[in-house]
Amino acid sequence: GQQLNQSPQSMFIQEGEDVSMNCTSSSIFNTWLWYKQEPGEGPVLLIALYKAGELTSNGRLTAQFGITRKDSFLNISASIPSDVGIYFCAGLTDSWGKLQFGAGTQVVVTP
Amino acid sequence: SQTIHQWPATLVQPVGSPLSLECTVEGTSNPNLYWYRQAAGRGLQLLFYSVGIGQISSEVPQNLSASRPQDRQFILSSKKLLLSDSGFYLCALGLGSSYNEQFFGPGTRLTVL
């Protein structure tokens, strides 16, 4: 079956630094979604990407849908303490809305 | 805008006991609904999805079942819980073309002892 490889698994960064993470797949996706999850809560949708090559921003977050449709990346610029959490990529596998999730990238921001 | 409610927020159950988790949504009609399980804070796995009342598709063989008795209600059940059923259960709502935007509820933390 399809597998999403998300890296890095974790990142320890200083406040103000930029963060970059990515997801790759052996299969093509039609949609990439990026979520953030804080402890004990459900994931929150950050950015949705619908077209190959698409670059979308949401505040300090920027995500891109890879040209091959097999990868996506998420950048966080000028990190702040509230950026702490686990970031997940997800690819849409079919028209029923079934998502395949990456294993997550845990971001820790130190002052 | 849509709202997703999950009940209860936390649950501790003994092995072999039954389970019923409820998800209700507001602010939309005829949504696609999904149950996911998350183990150890990482990796969401799709368990069930539903495209309408009484319509359930199972993604993985398991000890759980799902039902959708009303348009905006999705229930996750088990007759006898196993230790391996412990985890964080998330209900999600799919919107948009091909349901390509999914929003998650607050989750239920289940611990089976």
Side-chain angles (χ1 to χ4, degrees), chain A:
Chain A
Q2 295 170 323
Q3 287 192 348
L4 281 186
N5 298 307
Q6 185 171 351
S7 64
Q9 186 175 12
S10 59
M11 302 186 72
F12 294 81
I13 58 173
Q14 285 195 321
E15 185 174 357
E17 290 184 340
D18 296 347
V19 176
S20 183
M21 61 194 78
N22 68 83
C23 276
T24 59
S25 171
S26 58
S27 301
I28 291 172
F29 288 111
N30 294 322
T31 297
W32 283 95
L33 305 175
W34 284 93
Y35 291 87
K36 178 187 177 186
Q37 185 178 30
E38 299 188 22
E41 299 181 5
V44 174
L45 182 62
L46 300 173
I47 293 180
L49 302 161
Y50 304 115
K51 295 181 181 179
E54 180 181 355
L55 185 69
T56 298
S57 293
N58 178 5
R60 292 178 295 104
L61 277 63
T62 302
Q64 185 161 27
F65 193 143
I67 292 291
T68 64
R69 295 168 61 193
K70 294 182 179 182
D71 62 335
S72 178
F73 73 75
L74 175 71
N75 285 341
I76 307 172
S77 63
S79 59
I80 59 177
S82 62
D83 290 332
V84 167
I86 301 178
Y87 291 79
F88 290 97
C89 63
L92 186 67
T93 61
D94 63 15
S95 61
W96 299 108
K98 292 187 285 184
L99 293 177
Q100 185 86 19
F101 277 83
T105 295
Q106 184 163 24
V107 173
V108 177
V109 181
T110 56

